[in-house]
Amino acid sequence: MPIKIPATLPAYDVLTREGVMVLDEELAARQDIRPLRIALLNLMPKKIQTENQFARLIGATPLQIELSLLRMSDHKTRNTAAAHMASFYRPFEDVGDEKFDGLIITGAPIEHLAFEDVDYWDELTRVMDWTQTNVHSTFGVCWGGMAMINHFYGVKKHMLDHKAFGCFRHRNLAPSSPYLRGFSDECVMPVSRWTEIRQAEVDAVPTLRTLLGSAEVGPCLIEDPAHRALYVFNHFEYDSDTLKQEYDRDVADGTPINVPGNYYPGDNPAQQPLNRWRSHAHLLYGNWINEIYQTTPFDMSLIGKD
């Protein structure tokens, strides 16, 4: 089954060219099934790139997905055209009475700020509390995951003395988890962050379970059954050249940056980077969508009631 998105959204043509099944609203209306309603709260500056990345992953399952794009109500983006935002995004304040089967909260390039200093932090805390009554399963990604684990448990993010940047090996710590169905014992994942969550502080919360972790960059994927949530601090959703774009940007700006480790062949930026995480990315997000499908109520009014 395809992902349901507007035919005018840039991701529609991108995914169609890649062979991902997409469906516009007219065709979706002819199918007598309930699609899963998945929302993307997009906090990244490059909105269209992020839309493509997540739509690609959640649109690769055998289920019909209806993707809704959300933004913070008062925060104005400076990197995406206003016409695009007006055409495809709704502010959170407009969906407060709606129910969703799933919600993805993306990362944001604001790691250097304390959570309470982020200009939309108060509204984001309302979003996170709202997930407990209006969303069946929430996926917090990178800074979004750090924000959720901090909000619900007080687990802190800690600044690193150098950027964790590159592709790092992660161990499968919970092979029986339905979210890791089909995973190898190890997988490689892109990492790009100046902060970390520490395993000892996660372990101090009995309800949290670490599913993927790295000896080099710490815990990566954490399950939070009490809040029907997953937190991932690294970037399975990245395109093959996303780390290259970040590296080239910093080099061009004169920003000190190390070559992303284990990314370019021979760690040589002149070489074409190889994607070694795509299959596990599809497994993780496909497993998440499948778990939602298996457990979400058919009657959406019942979401958050249990």
Side-chain angles (χ1 to χ4, degrees):
M1 287 294 194
I3 181 172
K4 176 187 171 185
I5 54 178
T8 51
L9 186 72
Y12 190 98
D13 289 336
V14 172
L15 300 186
T16 299
R17 289 194 299 269
E18 294 178 2
V20 177
M21 295 180 66
V22 292
L23 196 68
D24 63 29
E25 294 183 3
E26 180 180 352
L27 290 174
R30 301 176 190 170
Q31 295 190 329
D32 189 20
I33 59 176
R34 179 174 90 70
L36 294 180
R37 297 195 71 206
I38 306 295
L40 176 68
L41 179 59
N42 193 349
L43 306 177
M44 292 295 287
K46 294 184 177 181
K47 304 292 187 196
I48 295 175
Q49 181 185 60
T50 304
E51 296 157 16
N52 292 341
Q53 291 170 346
F54 284 105
R56 177 181 297 118
L57 294 174
I58 66 174
T61 75
L63 303 169
Q64 187 186 130
I65 306 295
E66 179 182 313
L67 180 63
S68 297
L69 300 176
L70 306 182
R71 62 174 176 82
M72 305 310 297
S73 301
D74 297 322
H75 182 76
K76 303 300 182 184
T77 182
R78 294 174 295 177
N79 300 89
T80 304
H84 182 87
M85 299 301 295
S87 295
F88 301 113
Y89 280 79
R90 289 190 294 165
F92 168 68
E93 63 186 12
D94 286 0
V95 302
D97 294 331
E98 298 183 24
K99 299 286 183 97
F100 293 89
D101 298 293
L103 170 69
I104 297 170
I105 301 177
T106 74
I110 48 177
E111 294 177 276
H112 61 290
L113 295 176
F115 289 122
E116 59 272 17
D117 291 339
V118 174
D119 61 7
Y120 51 77
W121 180 248
D122 288 344
E123 184 178 24
L124 186 59
T125 61
R126 294 196 297 274
V127 172
M128 292 185 285
D129 290 337
W130 168 83
T131 65
Q132 299 307 287
T133 56
N134 289 68
V135 179
H136 183 65
S137 180
T138 305
F139 210 144
V141 179
C142 200
W143 184 87
M146 293 183 180
M148 291 187 71
I149 201 171
N150 177 265
H151 177 64
F152 288 130
Y153 295 103
V155 175
K156 300 181 183 301
K157 64 180 175 73
H158 300 272
M159 291 298 301
L160 297 168
D161 56 11
H162 65 280
K163 188 176 185 179
F165 192 42
C167 294
F168 294 85
R169 288 194 171 275
H170 290 72
R171 286 185 56 213
N172 182 344
L173 303 174
S176 63
S177 168
Y179 297 108
L180 300 185
R181 190 177 292 114
F183 264 61
S184 304
D185 293 336
E186 288 187 338
C187 62
V188 172
M189 195 184 317
V191 179
S192 179
R193 50 181 165 82
W194 283 95
T195 54
E196 67 175 355
I197 296 294
R198 294 176 179 169
Q199 187 63 56
E201 295 179 21
V202 175
D203 291 340
V205 183
T207 55
L208 296 177
R209 182 188 187 198
T210 303
L211 306 183
L212 293 175
S214 167
E216 297 174 276
V217 291
C220 167
L221 178 66
I222 294 174
E223 182 183 9
D224 178 6
H227 294 93
R228 304 185 308 281
L230 291 173
Y231 313 131
V232 64
F233 307 127
N234 303 327
H235 291 284
F236 265 141
E237 82 280 1
Y238 269 10
D239 298 322
S240 301
D241 64 347
T242 304
L243 290 180
K244 173 179 168 54
Q245 292 176 22
E246 295 181 8
Y247 175 71
D248 290 347
R249 175 202 64 203
D250 287 349
V251 170
D253 292 345
T255 302
I257 186 64
N258 51 290
V259 174
N262 197 30
Y263 176 57
Y264 297 105
D267 287 333
N268 180 0
Q271 299 295 315
Q272 187 70 22
L274 300 177
N275 189 312
R276 290 176 289 122
W277 59 90
R278 184 183 295 114
S279 58
H280 282 100
H282 281 282
L283 278 174
L284 177 60
Y285 283 88
N287 287 339
W288 178 60
I289 292 294
N290 182 58
E291 283 303 296
I292 291 174
Y293 174 73
Q294 297 293 337
T295 59
T296 194
F298 184 84
D299 180 353
M300 296 196 69
S301 68
L302 299 178
I303 288 176
K305 300 286 188 184
D306 185 1

